[in-house]
Amino acid sequence: MTGYDEKFLADAAILRKIDNMEQQNRQTKYAVFIKPIFFVTILIIILSLLSVMVRPADNDVFNLPNYIRTLDNVKREKENTIDVIFAGDSEASDAFSPLQFWGEQGISSFNIANPAQILPDSYALMAQIVKEQKPKVLVLETSCMYLRAYIHSDDPWLARAEKLFPILHYHQVYRLLKPKNVDFQNVEKTDSMKGFWLKTNIRGYEGSMEYMGPVDMPAEALTADCINVMNQFYDLCKEHDIQLILTTIPAPAYWTYSKHNGVKGWADEHSVPYIDMNLMHEELQMDWSQDTSDGGIHLSFPGTIKVCRWLGQYLKDTYQLKDHRGDPLYDSWKSAYEETNLYGGTGA
Amino acid sequence: MSYHSIGFFAVFLPIVVVLYQLCAEKHRWILLLAANLVFFWLWSGTGVVYLLAAVVITWFFGEKLKNMDKPPEGMDRKTFKKKKKLVLTAGILCVLSLLVVLKYTNFIGSTLMGSSWTAIKIYIPIGISYYTLQAIAYLCDISSKKGEAAPSIGKLALFMSFFPTICEGPIARYGEIGEQLQEGRPVTYENLSQGYQRILWGLFKKIVIADHLAPAMGALYTVYRSFGSMSLFAMLLCTIQIYMDFSGTIDVAIGAGKIFGITMPENFRQPFFAKNAGDFWRRWHMTLGAFLRTYVFYPVSLSKPVNRLTKFVKKYSKTAARYVGPLISLFCVWMCSGIWHGPSWTYVGYGLYYFVIIFIEVLLEPFVKKHINENWLWFRIFRFVKLCIIVGIGELYFMAPNAETALEMLKSIFTNFSASTFLSEWTSLGPGLSDYLISFGSFAVVIVISILKEKNISIRSAVEKLPVPVRWTFWYAAILIVVFFGAYGPGFTALDMMYAGF
């Protein structure tokens, strides 16, 4: 034949076979990833499309269901009828009752606070609200200044993924599909509580009345994220000629001079009025056996009556807010006042 | 980095898979070992030192036992056996001492010294309860020649620290996965897809079912603990939560192993289809059950003191003598099981609860077999309800902050039961109506799949036979269910895996 012996040829054939197998192996080594890459690519496209669908048009928010529900409620009010907006977390949503302000001072207000609502969400709501309303005053309850002030998850990898695919952040949109929200017959009806979360339970505070600690306690620093959003609030209010007021409701089991000093630092720096009701017990005539719903963090209904009575009068006197009672443009407050019958009277 | 976090299954795991595949076959085990250590470091930081210490101790005693193959010249068999037993005991005690010191010092101190004991702050590394059991099983298997020793300390470390199993098990024996880990089999498309499908199933159980229910537990064990109807609801919720949390995490672990071609032992086998509590524990946390059966139950049953006691009792009553062995062995098994779960008397009580139940079952077994047709439908229904009550009480007790709370809740079921309390309060526990709908609806899916599995019908195999477009659509839909209905992100607190704490 060619001079090569049989054994050599056999060896060569084996070598070639091994070579082929190695090559094949090298191919399969990478080939295993081809289908998964294709699968993942389609998944990325699906997630991206869904992200586009669920992402709010203007602002990113932390709690989408709360944001949409609240904004929807505010949008049901007639344009330019809200004079005062209350914002914050549960301390604010449980405390400020627009119906009481209506009944006592005739102030048209709306509470956009929600439990655990973080500052960026309050800001996002406010940024939308000023497009249809011209509020004169924004009362921001300060407890939320010590909550997180960033919208993404604490898990750094999840936070990255949420930025990449907002559907992972806004996946709870299904919560908006509750029967209440798809009740088309009532779509024009306004929120009868105007954002106030009525709490009927009472659990007294039994601790010391010296809970604020020494006046000169070192200030609890606000986070950079918080300061950033607060500055945005300040600019927004300035741009729309809204008076920003910081308020802390009395919360003996939560508030301290340390937090007070932290908030006051920012308020002084920006010449924003700051009312800490923790320093006004006598003026407000608080009775801590009755005025808190959970042992000193949130107000009970009797507590909110005292706080709103003082605050309503203060707002009316200081910012010359009009009494809209009797004006048909503000009928939604009148009818809500009568419908809920929380405070008695007609609200006219 | 927990198994259900996106950082694990979408970042860490894919990176390890790609690097593993690119690596030469003979070096793949080194890459896996490195991945194990990185994973452990990311989770537990310096806790990796304790893991390495356990590996060194296990290796040292493992080598000693391996070399004690037969008695050296001049030594009789009895002395040699004794010496081997001594080495094994020393090895087990050394490995256990790490666990005891780190996990049980305060428990022992407070038990012995009462309130005068000042609690010491001790760092408990993650996974120590799991790798300690693996180490004990490894030493016992070498000693009894039922298993091989690892060829090198690195390969032993690879087995003891395998990242999918390190936090919650399954508690695999060296003979089950040791060789598979070292082989460095290439990743195949089948293993990759089946592994991720199992991970997806685990995520569904963990973040769609268990984590939606978790927020209710705080209120149920505090505010509502004296309301019977709420306690009954707590029993249902905590049973579903533990089952879905633990079995979901195990699914993720087994799926992750599958990707590397490693078949790990199963930890759950449709536990609620069990005939009784004993059978339940052969289907629930199966690897712990197998460990306790192999390394506690049989050795105690066959030990000389138990044999002597059995003989002694036999003199007086043959029937009673039949139960001496099982009684002592079961007691030891359930004490170990209780203590293993954590340094608390609540867990000891949990173990003893099952000891009593299972021993009663052992006593009643001859009567049931003789007088009752086990295939009778009404008996089967009774058996299922009885099992649910037994397990429900056990889990309610297991999850309670202390025994007093659990007993108060159980008492309330009989003394203060009002359906109206439940009807007015069940949505104010934390989870909303949509959370309950998602959880219970998804749990119904798990039940259906479990029924099919019990009948040897596999949904996954059926899906595999579908044409590619249909099959892929099915899996995209499954992924989107987890994406949409998972309890993660805004409004949810990230929850750890429950059994990682043990």
Side-chain angles (χ1 to χ4, degrees), chain B residues 135-317:
Chain B
I136 292 171
Y138 174 77
L139 293 177
C140 290
D141 286 353
I142 296 176
S143 173
S144 62
K145 293 182 187 170
K146 282 179 190 158
E148 297 265 308
S152 70
I153 189 166
K155 288 177 177 171
L156 177 65
L158 171 68
F159 157 70
M160 281 177 66
S161 63
F162 188 40
F163 69 85
T165 65
I166 193 77
C167 298
E168 285 202 4
I171 303 161
R173 286 153 73 176
Y174 182 78
E176 289 170 318
I177 63 166
E179 259 184 53
Q180 295 185 64
L181 281 164
Q182 297 156 29
E183 277 174 0
R185 288 180 207 169
V187 175
T188 63
Y189 175 70
E190 285 70 31
N191 285 343
L192 190 63
S193 58
Q194 282 179 18
Y196 264 106
Q197 285 160 13
R198 186 78 188 255
I199 288 173
L200 184 65
W201 181 233
L203 292 175
F204 176 74
K205 286 179 178 177
K206 164 79 179 140
I207 64 172
V208 178
I209 304 176
D211 289 357
H212 269 294
L213 299 178
M217 292 305 155
L220 283 168
Y221 277 102
T222 53
V223 183
Y224 295 103
R225 67 183 188 182
S226 56
F227 298 94
S229 53
M230 300 303 265
S231 299
L232 204 61
F233 191 48
M235 210 189 260
L236 172 74
L237 290 199
C238 66
T239 305
I240 296 176
Q241 196 205 345
I242 295 180
Y243 179 28
M244 291 297 97
D245 188 293
F246 191 21
S247 71
T249 308
I250 290 294
D251 285 328
V252 175
I254 291 178
K258 179 78 186 171
I259 294 172
F260 301 100
I262 293 150
T263 307
M264 283 189 277
E266 291 291 339
N267 224 20
F268 290 88
R269 188 168 52 84
Q270 296 80 258
F272 287 94
F273 289 86
K275 288 176 183 167
N276 50 41
D279 189 25
F280 175 84
W281 277 94
R282 283 187 287 276
R283 292 162 169 261
W284 173 288
H285 207 172
M286 290 154 70
T287 54
L288 177 69
F291 177 89
L292 293 172
R293 207 165 37 248
T294 315
Y295 304 105
V296 180
F297 186 88
Y298 293 133
V300 173
S301 298
L302 302 171
S303 67
K304 279 178 187 167
V306 171
N307 278 333
R308 263 186 240 132
L309 188 66
T310 309
K311 276 178 192 165
F312 177 74
V313 175
K314 212 173 181 178
K315 285 180 196 167
Y316 304 96
S317 162

Side-chain angles (χ1 to χ4, degrees), chain A residues 280-288 291 302-303 306 309:
Chain A
M280 298 165 54
H281 291 286
E282 284 181 18
E283 206 171 336
L284 295 168
Q285 297 181 324
M286 301 303 284
D287 170 7
W288 287 114
D291 292 343
K306 293 174 186 174
R309 183 160 296 151

Side-chain angles (χ1 to χ4, degrees), chain B residues 19 42-43 80 90 134 172 210 269 303 324-325 363 430 441 458 466 487:
Chain B
L19 293 176
L42 287 173
W43 190 309
F80 173 72
Q134 287 189 320
R269 188 168 52 84
S303 67
V324 171
L363 290 177
S458 165
L466 295 170

Side-chain angles (χ1 to χ4, degrees), chain A residues 25 28-30 32-33 35-36 38-43 46-47 50 54 61-63 151 153 155 157-158 161-162 167-175 178, chain B residues 1 5-7 11 17-18 21-25 28 187-189 192 212 432 434-435 438 471-472 475-476 479-480 483-492:
Chain A
N25 193 31
T28 51
K29 209 172 174 178
Y30 303 108
V32 73
F33 295 121
K35 266 198 212 171
F38 194 56
F39 184 88
V40 171
T41 308
I42 295 175
L43 183 63
I46 294 171
L47 292 178
L50 287 169
V54 298
V61 292
F62 178 69
N63 193 325
I151 62 163
S153 292
D155 175 349
W157 286 108
L158 183 55
E162 283 173 9
I167 180 67
L168 299 178
H169 185 73
Y170 298 117
H171 64 100
Q172 293 177 61
V173 280
Y174 64 82
R175 284 176 190 274
K178 282 178 187 169
Chain B
M1 190 196 288
S5 76
I6 200 163
V11 182
V17 170
V18 171
Q21 185 73 343
L22 297 180
C23 209
E25 199 167 308
R28 279 181 181 149
V187 175
T188 63
Y189 175 70
L192 190 63
H212 269 294
S434 53
D435 296 300
I438 290 167
R471 197 193 325 152
W472 280 27
W475 289 117
Y476 286 130
I479 291 169
L480 290 180
V483 166
F484 272 103
F485 300 118
Y488 64 93
F492 290 103

Side-chain angles (χ1 to χ4, degrees), chain B residues 416-433:
Chain B
N416 185 24
F417 192 92
S418 155
S420 59
T421 310
F422 170 72
L423 292 172
S424 62
E425 300 289 329
W426 73 290
T427 49
S428 53
L429 293 168
L433 183 65

Side-chain angles (χ1 to χ4, degrees), chain A residues 73-97:
Chain A
N73 285 336
V74 178
K75 282 187 170 180
R76 290 180 196 179
E77 301 295 346
K78 288 176 189 157
E79 267 187 42
N80 301 329
T81 55
I82 300 174
D83 282 351
V84 181
I85 295 276
F86 298 96
D89 58 8
S90 56
E91 264 89 347
S93 63
D94 291 5
F96 303 125
S97 170

